[in-house]
Amino acid sequence: MSEVRGKVAVVTGAGSGIGREIAFELARRGARLAVSDVDETGLAATADRLEALGAQVRSARLDVSDRQAVESYAASVAADFGVVHQVYNNAGIAAGGAVADNDWETYERVLGVNLFGVIHGSKAFLPHLIASGDGHVVNVSSLNGIMGQPRSTAYCASKFGVRGFTESLRAEMLMAGRPVQVTVVHPGGVRTNIASAGLEDARKRGEVTPEDEARVRTYNEKLLKMPPRQAARIIVDGVEAGKQRVLVGNDAKLVDLLVRLLPRRYPALAAQFERRRFSRG
Ligand SMILES: NC(=O)c1ccc[n+]([C@@H]2O[C@H](COP(=O)([O-])OP(=O)(O)OC[C@H]3O[C@@H](n4cnc5c(N)ncnc54)[C@H](O)[C@@H]3O)[C@@H](O)[C@H]2O)c1
């Protein structure tokens, strides 16, 4: 029987992609779910499917970058279910652009969602996870939390930050003997809407260049390959197995190896990869 049967799991960014599929996977394994997203339409579709799968579901709009909103959300989820066992801090956004071209707002926005969203969710739910006696924090980083990449500085900074925060939190829980496991997830390319959503967002700001469009096309056609359901299964299996670190896909595993084996050479390789993969024409 699944370890998560009957447990209460919180999933942020559950209106699409990996978060939605994590919620479905948990529901199939018998968990009770609190799902949230800023996209209410996507979230409603997720909640409908979760109910069809027979799960007990609590669904709410939540912007993970809003600290107070996350704090009151955590209190209300704990009050509604009486206990919280697992939190999957999954919500995230993509943004490209070179340092010279990015404005300050891009850094604040990306770090606000991808890094502070994870810190907010971890910290706000931590007392409830400890109180459950069997808690688990699962923070979604990226392959870009292992390897720096040109024209991805905001995203890489946020995802390296998630990894640092999560590994420190794990050591704290061990040091204090708290009953909370801590997992960091590093997905490689997963076939979701993340690149297109980032491009759409940039378009609204009038910041899209033909290079950006070509880059997102390459991501969608060549790099974001794994079906999100498969990614979710790998993640939830890893959590059930008590893994501290879950690498999702051969690309993430390869990057992990490359950075360890060639720590000084990898930036030149990353530059070469960028030139080859994303040069136009
Ligand atoms: N798809 C990939 O290849 C890939 C690779 C590595 C890491 N990741 C990470 O996986 C996570 C999930 O991404 P995905 O690929 O499923 O993308 P996605 O765009 O399909 O889903 C992300 C969800 O997060 C929501 N979201 C965005 N901003 C939010 C906010 N402020 N508050 C709450 N929700 C918000 C979106 O509405 C969307 O429903 C992200 O953290 C992403 O960085 C994805």
Side-chain angles (χ1 to χ4, degrees):
M1 190 195 291
S2 167
E3 292 257 316
V4 298
R5 179 157 297 281
K7 287 194 178 156
V8 175
V10 173
V11 186
T12 70
S16 169
I18 298 172
R20 167 181 277 173
E21 291 293 340
I22 287 173
F24 292 167
E25 191 60 38
L26 290 166
R28 284 185 210 104
R29 298 183 193 205
R32 296 177 280 160
L33 283 145
V35 290
S36 62
D37 205 293
V38 280
D39 168 14
E40 292 179 274
T41 310
L43 184 64
T46 300
D48 284 351
R49 175 89 180 109
L50 288 171
E51 273 165 17
L53 287 167
Q56 185 185 336
V57 187
R58 183 191 192 282
S59 164
R61 185 190 185 278
L62 177 71
D63 177 349
V64 295
S65 69
D66 180 340
R67 183 172 309 154
Q68 273 164 9
V70 176
E71 282 184 338
S72 49
Y73 176 73
S76 60
V77 170
D80 283 0
F81 285 100
V83 64
V84 184
H85 299 96
Q86 301 191 338
V87 57
Y88 289 77
N89 290 303
N90 160 79
I93 54 174
V99 176
D101 302 328
N102 278 342
D103 54 21
W104 293 111
E105 198 275 333
T106 298
Y107 287 99
E108 282 165 7
R109 186 165 40 86
V110 174
L111 289 166
V113 177
N114 292 5
L115 177 56
F116 272 97
V118 166
I119 298 174
H120 294 155
S122 301
K123 187 163 162 54
F125 278 100
L126 196 57
H128 306 296
L129 301 178
I130 292 170
S132 77
D134 185 17
H136 207 133
V137 178
V138 185
N139 289 339
V140 179
S141 172
S142 166
L143 162 164
N144 286 126
I146 298 172
M147 179 190 79
Q149 193 180 327
R151 306 190 66 220
S152 292
T153 55
Y155 189 73
C156 289
S158 71
K159 295 299 186 179
F160 269 72
V162 168
R163 174 180 164 197
F165 174 83
T166 308
E167 293 185 356
S168 303
L169 175 64
R170 180 186 309 130
E172 272 186 28
M173 294 297 101
L174 290 169
M175 211 175 123
R178 298 294 196 189
V180 178
Q181 296 186 73
V182 181
T183 298
V184 63
V185 180
H186 297 283
V190 181
R191 201 185 308 137
T192 71
N193 196 41
I194 191 161
S196 301
L199 185 71
E200 215 34 59
D201 204 45
R203 205 188 305 284
K204 281 187 204 137
R205 292 161 210 280
E207 292 170 0
V208 173
T209 64
E211 283 78 11
D212 296 328
E213 289 186 344
R215 200 165 193 271
V216 167
R217 227 179 1 259
T218 302
Y219 263 100
N220 284 339
E221 287 168 8
K222 306 224 163 95
L223 298 175
L224 306 187
K225 283 193 172 153
M226 182 184 282
R229 181 169 176 170
Q230 187 182 347
R233 208 176 306 128
I234 292 169
I235 294 166
V236 177
D237 280 348
V239 168
E240 290 219 54
K243 286 193 182 165
Q244 301 189 351
R245 191 166 181 260
V246 178
L247 296 169
V248 182
N250 289 335
D251 45 0
K253 288 178 188 163
L254 185 69
V255 157
D256 187 45
L257 204 62
L258 181 79
V259 169
R260 282 165 201 267
L261 294 179
L262 303 170
R264 280 189 296 277
R265 275 204 62 204
Y266 101 75
L269 295 173
Q272 201 177 41
F273 178 82
E274 181 79 13
R275 259 195 308 271
R276 287 209 182 132
R277 264 289 187 219
F278 301 118
S279 58
R280 294 173 66 215

XYZ file of all heavy atoms in Angstrom, residues 12-19 36-39 62-65 89-93 113-114 140-144 155 159 186-195 197 223-224, ligand 1:
340
model
N 1.463 23.301 -4.820
C 1.313 24.640 -5.420
C 1.571 24.541 -6.925
O 2.260 23.632 -7.392
C 2.288 25.653 -4.793
O 3.631 25.333 -5.194
C 2.183 25.676 -3.279
N 1.018 25.507 -7.671
C 1.179 25.477 -9.127
C 0.529 24.243 -9.719
O 1.031 23.649 -10.676
N -0.626 23.852 -9.154
C -1.275 22.591 -9.557
C -2.245 22.772 -10.730
O -2.943 21.847 -11.102
C -2.014 21.978 -8.363
N -2.267 23.967 -11.327
C -3.200 24.211 -12.434
C -2.676 23.756 -13.783
O -3.367 23.880 -14.798
N -1.439 23.246 -13.814
C -0.835 22.862 -15.095
C 0.353 21.936 -14.853
O 0.850 21.827 -13.723
C -0.378 24.150 -15.810
O 0.438 23.895 -16.921
N 0.794 21.287 -15.908
C 2.100 20.639 -15.971
C 2.427 19.659 -14.854
O 1.648 18.772 -14.497
N 3.630 19.817 -14.302
C 4.149 18.861 -13.324
C 3.311 18.885 -12.041
O 2.991 17.840 -11.475
C 5.634 19.180 -13.008
C 6.493 19.047 -14.276
C 6.173 18.260 -11.913
C 7.942 19.531 -14.112
N 2.933 20.073 -11.580
C 2.148 20.199 -10.343
C 0.809 19.489 -10.457
O 0.383 18.769 -9.544
N -3.447 24.480 -5.302
C -3.566 25.932 -5.504
C -2.828 26.339 -6.767
O -1.978 25.608 -7.281
C -2.988 26.676 -4.303
O -1.610 26.376 -4.165
N -3.162 27.534 -7.240
C -2.497 28.106 -8.420
C -2.975 29.559 -8.546
O -3.982 29.945 -7.924
C -2.884 27.326 -9.693
C -1.836 27.429 -10.799
O -1.641 28.547 -11.338
O -1.191 26.421 -11.115
N -2.267 30.362 -9.341
C -2.803 31.692 -9.692
C -3.778 31.579 -10.852
O -4.622 32.451 -11.042
C -1.696 32.710 -10.093
C -1.025 33.299 -8.888
C -0.691 32.111 -11.063
N -3.656 30.501 -11.624
C -4.523 30.309 -12.790
C -5.763 29.527 -12.351
O -5.733 28.300 -12.215
C -3.736 29.557 -13.873
C -4.621 29.065 -15.001
O -5.791 29.526 -15.101
O -4.170 28.201 -15.772
N -3.954 30.858 -5.103
C -2.864 31.293 -4.237
C -1.689 31.752 -5.085
O -1.230 31.022 -5.965
C -2.398 30.140 -3.319
C -1.198 30.485 -2.429
C -1.593 31.468 -1.331
C -0.589 29.223 -1.805
N -1.208 32.965 -4.792
C 0.027 33.459 -5.412
C 1.153 33.191 -4.420
O 1.213 33.804 -3.349
C -0.113 34.965 -5.697
C 1.164 35.556 -6.282
O 2.213 34.886 -6.284
O 1.097 36.720 -6.731
N 2.054 32.271 -4.764
C 3.076 31.847 -3.799
C 4.090 32.945 -3.478
O 4.817 32.846 -2.496
C 3.831 30.572 -4.266
C 2.902 29.383 -4.343
C 4.554 30.810 -5.592
N 4.130 33.978 -4.319
C 5.077 35.068 -4.039
C 4.529 36.028 -2.970
O 5.249 36.905 -2.499
C 5.418 35.842 -5.321
O 4.295 36.573 -5.765
N 6.302 22.299 -3.037
C 6.460 23.679 -3.508
C 6.925 23.626 -4.950
O 8.118 23.561 -5.243
C 7.465 24.412 -2.618
C 6.897 24.663 -1.240
O 5.845 25.289 -1.103
N 7.560 24.158 -0.213
N 5.943 23.637 -5.845
C 6.197 23.358 -7.264
C 6.021 24.573 -8.169
O 6.646 24.638 -9.226
C 5.234 22.231 -7.691
C 5.040 22.173 -9.191
O 5.893 21.647 -9.915
N 3.947 22.755 -9.688
N 5.186 25.549 -7.782
C 4.865 26.666 -8.690
C 6.141 27.347 -9.173
O 7.073 27.558 -8.393
C 3.983 27.686 -7.971
N 6.184 27.659 -10.459
C 7.381 28.309 -10.992
C 7.114 28.945 -12.343
O 6.137 28.617 -13.029
N 8.004 29.866 -12.705
C 7.902 30.550 -14.002
C 9.280 30.560 -14.668
O 10.301 30.475 -13.993
C 7.384 31.998 -13.856
C 8.238 32.800 -12.852
C 5.922 32.011 -13.449
C 7.858 34.283 -12.771
N 8.660 34.392 -7.292
C 7.846 33.171 -7.448
C 8.694 31.925 -7.156
O 8.357 31.109 -6.301
C 7.252 33.072 -8.876
C 6.474 31.768 -9.044
C 6.368 34.268 -9.184
N 9.822 31.800 -7.856
C 10.557 30.521 -7.839
C 11.314 30.285 -6.536
O 11.389 29.148 -6.078
C 11.563 30.465 -8.993
C 10.896 30.397 -10.358
O 9.694 30.476 -10.467
N 11.692 30.267 -11.389
N 10.719 21.978 -5.665
C 11.073 21.739 -7.068
C 12.088 22.785 -7.535
O 11.780 23.973 -7.626
C 9.816 21.744 -7.968
C 10.222 21.513 -9.425
C 8.832 20.664 -7.516
N 13.290 22.293 -7.788
C 14.345 23.115 -8.366
C 14.345 22.814 -9.865
O 13.267 22.855 -10.500
C 15.685 22.784 -7.687
O 16.768 23.404 -8.320
N 15.491 22.485 -10.432
C 15.599 22.255 -11.872
C 16.977 21.704 -12.177
O 17.875 21.758 -11.329
C 15.421 23.601 -12.598
O 15.825 23.515 -13.940
N 17.145 21.251 -13.393
C 18.489 20.990 -13.925
C 19.317 22.284 -13.795
O 20.518 22.247 -13.580
C 18.274 20.542 -15.352
C 19.242 20.478 -16.488
C 18.605 19.592 -17.568
C 19.520 21.811 -17.083
N 18.617 23.419 -13.905
C 19.283 24.719 -13.757
C 19.524 25.112 -12.297
O 19.964 26.224 -12.016
C 18.482 25.820 -14.472
C 18.621 25.746 -15.971
O 17.629 25.689 -16.690
N 19.846 25.711 -16.462
N 16.475 32.687 -13.734
C 15.943 31.350 -13.473
C 16.971 30.506 -12.708
O 16.634 29.855 -11.702
C 15.576 30.680 -14.806
C 14.810 29.387 -14.659
C 13.480 29.382 -14.262
C 15.419 28.163 -14.921
C 12.771 28.191 -14.119
C 14.721 26.975 -14.790
C 13.393 26.989 -14.387
O 12.696 25.812 -14.247
N 16.728 28.809 -8.989
C 16.734 27.350 -8.808
C 17.940 26.872 -7.997
O 17.840 25.885 -7.268
C 16.647 26.657 -10.175
C 15.316 26.921 -10.900
C 14.124 26.398 -10.093
C 12.808 26.502 -10.827
N 11.675 25.962 -10.044
N 15.128 17.901 -9.125
C 15.783 18.568 -10.254
C 15.260 17.978 -11.565
O 15.862 17.027 -12.096
C 17.298 18.369 -10.183
C 17.935 18.984 -8.975
N 18.173 20.343 -8.863
C 18.394 18.439 -7.834
C 18.757 20.594 -7.694
N 18.886 19.464 -7.045
N 14.163 18.524 -12.104
C 13.697 17.999 -13.395
C 14.582 18.493 -14.534
O 15.079 19.619 -14.514
C 12.291 18.589 -13.548
C 11.909 19.124 -12.209
C 13.202 19.499 -11.548
N 14.749 17.611 -15.542
C 15.266 18.063 -16.832
C 14.078 18.533 -17.647
O 13.086 19.012 -17.090
N 14.145 18.372 -18.976
C 13.062 18.893 -19.817
C 11.782 18.077 -19.705
O 11.773 16.879 -19.977
N 10.713 18.728 -19.303
C 9.399 18.080 -19.186
C 8.427 18.854 -20.076
O 8.425 20.101 -20.083
C 8.908 18.082 -17.713
C 7.554 17.395 -17.605
C 9.930 17.392 -16.809
N 7.596 18.110 -20.803
C 6.712 18.722 -21.789
C 5.536 19.439 -21.113
O 4.459 18.854 -20.910
C 6.189 17.639 -22.750
C 5.702 18.186 -24.078
C 5.094 17.101 -24.937
N 5.974 15.954 -25.100
C 5.552 14.693 -25.033
N 4.298 14.402 -24.786
N 6.414 13.694 -25.190
N 5.759 20.675 -20.735
C 4.708 21.481 -20.099
C 4.620 22.822 -20.811
O 5.343 23.083 -21.772
C 5.018 21.743 -18.610
O 6.116 22.665 -18.541
C 5.361 20.475 -17.859
N 3.819 23.695 -20.237
C 3.565 24.996 -20.842
C 4.570 26.053 -20.380
O 4.444 27.221 -20.737
C 2.135 25.399 -20.418
C 1.600 26.517 -21.255
O 1.803 26.535 -22.468
N 0.951 27.483 -20.621
N 5.582 25.661 -19.599
C 6.387 26.667 -18.892
C 7.101 27.647 -19.831
O 7.103 28.860 -19.568
C 7.362 26.009 -17.882
C 7.969 27.081 -16.975
C 8.437 25.173 -18.566
C 8.561 26.545 -15.691
N 7.687 27.135 -20.918
C 8.435 28.026 -21.816
C 7.472 28.960 -22.548
O 7.720 30.175 -22.647
C 9.248 27.191 -22.805
N 4.480 29.886 -21.575
C 3.879 30.836 -20.618
C 4.856 31.986 -20.344
O 4.458 33.151 -20.259
C 3.527 30.116 -19.309
N 13.714 20.137 -26.375
C 14.271 19.939 -25.030
C 13.238 19.513 -23.978
O 13.568 18.775 -23.056
C 14.980 21.220 -24.555
C 16.184 21.638 -25.429
C 16.747 22.974 -24.967
C 17.281 20.572 -25.392
N 12.020 20.006 -24.092
C 11.006 19.655 -23.073
C 10.279 18.400 -23.546
O 9.265 18.473 -24.242
C 10.034 20.821 -22.863
C 10.660 22.175 -22.532
C 9.572 23.192 -22.175
C 11.670 22.085 -21.394
N 8.959 21.746 -17.522
C 10.249 21.621 -17.321
O 10.986 21.213 -18.230
C 10.857 21.947 -15.986
C 12.225 21.679 -15.820
C 12.811 21.977 -14.589
C 12.057 22.510 -13.562
N 10.735 22.772 -13.769
C 9.998 23.355 -12.663
O 8.824 22.611 -12.426
C 7.840 23.437 -11.807
C 6.517 23.275 -12.537
O 6.654 23.807 -13.835
P 5.893 23.213 -15.126
O 6.932 22.839 -16.091
O 4.867 22.245 -14.713
O 5.233 24.564 -15.691
P 3.715 24.983 -15.986
O 3.811 26.363 -16.533
O 3.032 23.947 -16.784
O 3.085 25.010 -14.509
C 3.458 25.961 -13.563
C 2.227 26.388 -12.790
O 2.630 27.350 -11.798
C 1.639 28.372 -11.768
N 2.176 29.616 -11.230
C 2.956 30.544 -11.855
N 3.200 31.578 -11.046
C 2.567 31.303 -9.863
C 2.450 31.979 -8.625
N 3.014 33.181 -8.443
N 1.745 31.391 -7.627
C 1.154 30.184 -7.827
N 1.211 29.513 -8.978
C 1.909 30.055 -9.979
C 1.201 28.519 -13.208
O -0.067 29.170 -13.304
C 1.177 27.078 -13.685
O -0.086 26.493 -13.482
C 8.419 24.861 -11.868
O 8.977 25.193 -10.618
C 9.497 24.751 -12.915
O 10.503 25.730 -12.757
C 10.125 22.507 -14.950
